[in-house]
Amino acid sequence: MEKSPRVSFKQINKLAIPLIIAGISEPLLSLVDTAVVGNVDTHAIEALAAVGIAGSFIAAIVWVLGQTRASISSIVAHYVGAQKLADIRSLPAQTIGINVALSFLLCIVTVLFTKQIFQLYNAEGLVLDYAVRYYKIRALGLPFSLFVFTVFGVFTGLQNTFWPMIISIVGAILNIGLDILLVYGWDGVVPAMHVEGAAYASVIAQMAMAVLALGLFVKKTPFSLRIRLPLNPELKRLVALSVNLFVRATALHVTLYLANSYATFYGKEMIAAQTICFQIWLFFAFFIDGYASVGSIISGKQKGAGQYNALVVLVRDLSKYGISVAVILMGICFVFYRQIGGLFTSDSFVLDVFYGVFWMVLVAQPLNAIAFVYDGIFKGLAAGVALRNTLLLATFAGFVPTLLLCDYFGFQLRGIWMAFTVWMAARSGILYWKFRKQYRQAS
């Protein structure tokens, strides 16, 4: 087994910091949507609840189809490590073509059944109306989002995280400005568009990111967007890995669906508070995921080069860094505990519910960091079966039974976050055990 130098803290952060900035842009957009919509003058609670329900469904779709991002990143990184990049020259264009075609199909199908989809979330009345109107606009951005995600996967596989960061910064700035303009309006110039304004802001930002990603892909990578036949031999492995990650992401969607469905059933104030909690959780997840993504990038390269000793050391280091970031974020939020809630709503009942469960979101962050780091490592190793089975077990033997038990005892939102904590504990524990079992000789 070949030994190699330890990946330094400086090298890790050179990749991680741009990834953190790129990664938090998507949840930051959702946070801004939540804060802007939650402070409108009319029906703010219903609007906040609707954006939360529709936003979680959109996130699930992007996560499910976006698994090709991790797949192509892993395969490109393997070939970078093996110094055989020319062998997969046709793969990115073929992957992008498949991904965009699937996103168009899913966009059409979900728009046709939007009302029925959100009725499954227990949405009704004005909440249902707002959710339908918001989603039908946001769905137009799905093909652009999936295109950008796949391009990000190619760049990270090439060990380049700078350009994904630039694309994300442009999208975030554009989205935030348009959010404020289109939701609240500009007197005499732009009419206030309420939840539709937030949706249009996101779609325009996604289109701009796609245009920028297209130009950078052509100029800054050795690949072409021209789809050539025959199909690349690695496409079969990419599809197999993506299918396993697709099943994994579907199980993840089950947790999001059940959490939001139960919260909606408990009342509009409950789903409003759940929306705030989840958007902050998601923001933290993508923030910590910067180090997890480094694990995916470097572990794929190390596997391609046969550097397994270095891989074990990398996991230890990334776990320490991820936990440190989680503790810092947790500490900041505890210091500004009351002020954070006020950013999203002024409704006293929603705030009381939020403050009653927000601490649960925070104390679970170090545990989440471990789970995300091992997720990233296993993605880089192209271990789709292990990731699939882990999430299926964590969801159906951990999250679902805990949620049902907590609902029986009337814990409501506290029960939902107890279930989330059990879910993350199972994910981190199983992957830690699998990695130790497979690579203990190298440690």
Side-chain angles (χ1 to χ4, degrees), residues 112-438:
L112 289 175
F113 298 98
T114 304
K115 183 175 181 180
Q116 291 84 348
I117 289 169
F118 293 127
Q119 283 175 332
L120 293 175
Y121 281 79
N122 292 315
E124 57 185 20
L126 195 55
V127 173
L128 177 61
D129 180 52
Y130 281 161
V132 170
R133 286 155 61 184
Y134 179 82
Y135 178 77
K136 284 186 174 180
I137 298 169
R138 278 292 306 271
L140 300 175
L142 284 175
F144 301 106
S145 289
L146 270 297
F147 172 77
V148 172
F149 259 50
T150 312
V151 171
F152 280 9
V154 174
F155 272 115
T156 55
L158 292 169
Q159 319 293 290
N160 184 326
T161 59
F162 177 77
W163 293 118
M165 177 187 70
I166 296 299
I167 295 168
S168 299
I169 290 174
V170 171
I173 293 173
L174 184 59
N175 188 277
I176 291 170
L178 289 172
D179 243 339
I180 296 170
L181 175 65
L182 298 180
V183 173
Y184 299 138
W186 184 359
D187 191 31
V189 180
V190 178
M193 300 173 68
H194 210 257
V195 294
E196 288 102 326
Y200 279 121
S202 295
V203 171
I204 294 170
Q206 288 163 341
M207 291 173 65
M209 291 171 69
V211 171
L212 184 55
L214 173 63
L216 289 172
F217 180 90
V218 172
K219 290 186 177 181
K220 301 295 182 180
T221 77
F223 305 115
S224 167
L225 277 176
R226 182 179 177 183
I227 298 176
R228 293 184 174 91
L229 295 176
L231 296 177
N232 192 280
E234 280 290 354
L235 188 64
K236 182 178 180 181
R237 183 160 74 104
L238 184 142
V239 171
L241 178 58
S242 297
V243 167
N244 283 318
L245 294 178
F246 177 92
V247 174
R248 173 183 178 274
T250 303
L252 186 149
H253 178 50
V254 169
T255 66
L256 302 186
Y257 163 71
L258 289 174
N260 284 285
S261 178
Y262 273 74
T264 306
F265 176 75
Y266 297 144
K268 64 182 182 182
E269 291 84 4
M270 291 289 184
I271 184 58
Q274 168 67 9
T275 296
I276 300 171
C277 284
F278 180 71
Q279 292 300 337
I280 294 173
W281 184 92
L282 197 62
F283 177 80
F284 283 178
F286 277 87
F287 202 108
I288 298 169
D289 196 53
Y291 285 102
S293 296
V294 171
S296 178
I297 295 168
I298 299 178
S299 65
K301 184 179 178 181
Q302 288 173 333
K303 182 179 179 181
Q307 299 170 347
Y308 297 109
N309 285 300
L311 174 61
V312 173
V313 176
L314 176 70
V315 172
R316 291 174 184 163
D317 288 342
L318 289 178
S319 296
K320 293 175 186 177
Y321 303 151
I323 291 171
S324 298
V325 171
V327 170
I328 291 170
L329 291 172
M330 182 174 64
I332 292 171
C333 287
F334 271 121
V335 171
F336 298 101
Y337 197 83
R338 292 280 166 177
Q339 293 88 335
I340 288 172
L343 293 174
F344 297 95
T345 183
S346 58
D347 186 273
S348 58
F349 188 81
V350 174
L351 286 173
D352 285 343
V353 175
F354 169 74
Y355 293 137
V357 297
F358 186 40
W359 65 270
M360 299 177 68
V361 178
L362 299 180
V363 297
Q365 292 309 311
L367 182 65
N368 294 355
I370 298 173
F372 296 147
V373 166
Y374 278 95
D375 267 354
I377 292 295
F378 275 82
K379 285 178 181 177
L381 298 173
V385 173
L387 287 167
R388 179 199 67 197
N389 292 343
T390 295
L391 204 69
L392 287 172
L393 188 61
T395 299
F396 295 106
F399 181 87
V400 174
T402 304
L403 179 66
L404 295 176
L405 188 63
C406 289
D407 177 66
Y408 177 79
F409 285 106
F411 291 159
Q412 295 190 326
L413 230 56
R414 287 177 297 160
I416 291 174
W417 285 99
M418 287 179 190
F420 266 121
T421 303
V422 170
W423 185 57
M424 295 304 295
R427 289 173 59 181
S428 58
I430 294 169
L431 290 179
Y432 172 82
W433 175 79
K434 283 180 177 292
F435 185 85
R436 290 285 298 173
K437 182 180 178 182
Q438 186 171 355

